Amino acid sequence: MRSRKTRHSFFAYTELEPILRTLGTNRLIVCGFQTNVCVEAMVRAALERNFEVAVAEDAVATDGPDLRLTPCHREAYVRFDKLSRVVKRSKMVDEQEREQAILDVAAELLLRLGYNKLTMGDVAEAVGLHRGLVYLRFKSKDELVEAVARRELDRYAELWSERLRTDPRGGSVASVYRAMAGALRQLPLAGAIVARDEDIFGKYLRRSGDFHGRIEHFGTREFVRMMQDAGAVRADIDADAVAFILDSLTPALRDTFQHRREQSGRSDLPTTDAVVDALSQLLELGLTPSASADLEPGKALLLDLLSTLRGRHPA
């Protein structure tokens, strides 16, 4: 940005401050001539406005008293080579914080407005940034939604893993559903992703190659066979038949998720917790070898699968 200043401080009678606020900038590098007049006035004005200020020692000059002798500004006075390293680190932190703030707001608006009504302008306004800065990080609404979903799936897998580790019967097929239900109860957006919620994701679900198409479970047949090999599923059970039954039950389980329940308007639907509890008991009785079976290999397998899922969908 170029602007003409008419006073010692660049803040006086210019649009500098509102522009910096819009950009989300809170750190300034000051250089110029004269150190004891314009530079000092700029530093004072910036500090009064709660900006963090650094003065490049080898990018200022004066024929009067040196700014570095002014005690209140001594900490702002650094060499440019040191300053450049600090600014680089600060810029990285700022960009990461800004990205997370954008994702936080986009996730909240996605749940409230839905994909079809959501605009990049809504996100920019809610996060307090110029729309151009949002587009600078995410080139389109689809790219932003994809990033939101990836982060949510990562959180989902992490919470799912945590619940498996703390489940005394973690490592059985039943524990998968218990952990899943517990995680989804805390992450409504993850629930919308798993349920392929039309109200929330709308037209996005019709995109080819969207994230929904890449997360359609691990492959239930392979999963059940692997659990059988690990000793967490009875060896005399037909793994293919079990996988077929589990896949058939999944749509019914999705219908009990809160948003789906509200859409259907059905008051007779059991809660997700009730369905998962009943399903867990049936699976424990029908699939788990015995109450004394060693489920640690099954738990290790499940945690490894979830780790793979997180690696496939990084935040």
Side-chain angles (χ1 to χ4, degrees), residues 58-277:
D58 41 356
V60 293
T62 183
D63 56 7
D66 199 327
L67 178 63
R68 82 186 80 183
L69 300 178
T70 309
C72 67
H73 298 138
R74 192 169 291 152
E75 291 184 3
Y77 211 95
V78 296
R79 286 195 58 78
F80 189 79
D81 57 351
K82 175 184 176 184
L83 177 64
S84 63
R85 294 194 297 272
V86 173
V87 170
K88 186 176 182 180
R89 284 199 304 273
S90 299
K91 184 178 180 182
M92 290 174 60
V93 172
D94 285 347
E95 288 177 353
Q96 290 169 0
E97 291 176 351
R98 182 180 298 166
E99 178 177 324
Q100 292 306 308
I102 292 171
L103 293 177
D104 288 342
V105 164
E108 189 273 327
L109 290 175
L110 192 59
L111 280 170
R112 181 153 54 88
L113 302 177
Y115 171 84
N116 293 352
K117 294 182 179 179
L118 179 69
T119 68
M120 296 290 268
D122 293 331
V123 175
E125 182 179 353
V127 80
L129 293 174
H130 190 279
R131 187 165 54 181
L133 288 174
V134 179
Y135 274 109
L136 191 62
R137 177 59 189 87
F138 301 100
K139 295 181 177 61
S140 67
K141 181 170 77 170
D142 284 355
E143 185 176 313
L144 175 57
V145 170
E146 180 89 7
V148 168
R150 285 176 178 274
R151 188 182 70 163
E152 190 72 3
L153 287 173
D154 184 72
R155 290 174 173 176
Y156 175 40
E158 182 178 3
L159 192 54
W160 197 349
S161 299
E162 182 182 321
R163 288 184 169 273
L164 277 174
R165 289 191 187 94
T166 57
D167 188 340
R169 296 287 292 169
S172 65
V173 173
S175 70
V176 173
Y177 288 87
R178 287 195 296 269
M180 178 193 71
L184 292 179
R185 192 160 49 242
Q186 292 182 236
L187 300 171
L189 185 57
I193 293 172
V194 174
R196 299 180 63 83
D197 196 308
E198 189 88 27
D199 270 7
I200 291 177
F201 287 100
K203 296 176 183 178
Y204 187 78
L205 295 175
R206 294 189 281 278
R207 286 180 67 250
S208 60
D210 73 359
F211 60 82
H212 287 94
R214 299 195 295 274
I215 63 166
E216 282 296 291
H217 37 256
F218 299 120
T220 313
R221 180 184 301 176
E222 292 75 13
F223 163 66
V224 175
R225 287 177 177 174
M226 291 170 69
M227 291 291 281
Q228 205 168 38
D229 291 340
V233 171
R234 284 169 44 191
D236 59 333
I237 293 287
D238 186 328
D240 291 355
V242 170
F244 176 79
I245 293 169
L246 292 177
D247 281 344
S248 300
L249 290 173
T250 299
L253 178 59
R254 286 173 174 167
D255 284 340
T256 68
F257 291 173
Q258 182 178 353
H259 205 270
R260 283 273 187 105
R261 181 194 304 277
E262 292 171 354
Q263 284 178 300
S264 69
R266 289 180 56 185
S267 59
D268 61 324
L269 283 175
T271 65
T272 304
D273 286 346
V275 172
V276 169
D277 185 56

Side-chain angles (χ1 to χ4, degrees), residues 5 7-12 16 26-57 59-60 66-68 70-78 83:
K5 75 181 183 74
R7 297 292 186 273
H8 294 151
S9 167
F10 216 131
F11 284 106
L16 178 62
N26 58 12
R27 295 182 175 93
L28 302 181
I29 305 167
V30 179
C31 55
F33 185 84
Q34 301 243 12
T35 310
N36 61 315
V37 183
C38 295
V39 173
E40 182 172 1
M42 181 65 182
V43 171
R44 287 184 181 278
L47 292 173
E48 288 170 357
R49 289 165 172 77
N50 292 320
F51 287 97
E52 296 178 28
V53 185
V55 178
E57 181 181 11
V60 293
D66 199 327
L67 178 63
R68 82 186 80 183
T70 309
C72 67
H73 298 138
R74 192 169 291 152
E75 291 184 3
Y77 211 95
V78 296
L83 177 64

